[in-house]
Amino acid sequence: MFRPKLPDTPHVPSITTHIPHDHAPAASAGRSVAPFVGVGAGAVAAVVVVGVVLTALLAAVAVSAVSVAIAAVVLRSLITGANRR
């Protein structure tokens, strides 16, 4: 439904040429860049996932530290109050 309708292209016959083994063309002439784009996208996704995980761990450590500090203040006030009685 949401895909565009492309016109049919006529079949173009391919031209095959003989390339001697000692005169090879440049390395990038016949290669596609699609695998390299896929590797780059995968690397970016991995970096994003690692960043999210590290941020979540840092947030968990911060919340734990705040809760321990609050517990320490409460316990200190309870102990100090018990000594005054």
Side-chain angles (χ1 to χ4, degrees), residues 41-83:
V44 168
V47 168
V48 169
V49 168
V50 169
V52 167
V53 168
L54 290 178
T55 303
L57 288 174
L58 181 63
V61 169
V63 168
S64 299
V66 168
S67 64
V68 167
I70 291 171
V73 168
V74 169
L75 285 176
R76 183 178 175 188
S77 67
L78 289 174
I79 291 172
T80 306
N83 288 339

Side-chain angles (χ1 to χ4, degrees), residues 16-25:
T16 54
T17 58
H18 175 70
I19 301 174
H21 294 289
D22 56 342
H23 294 29

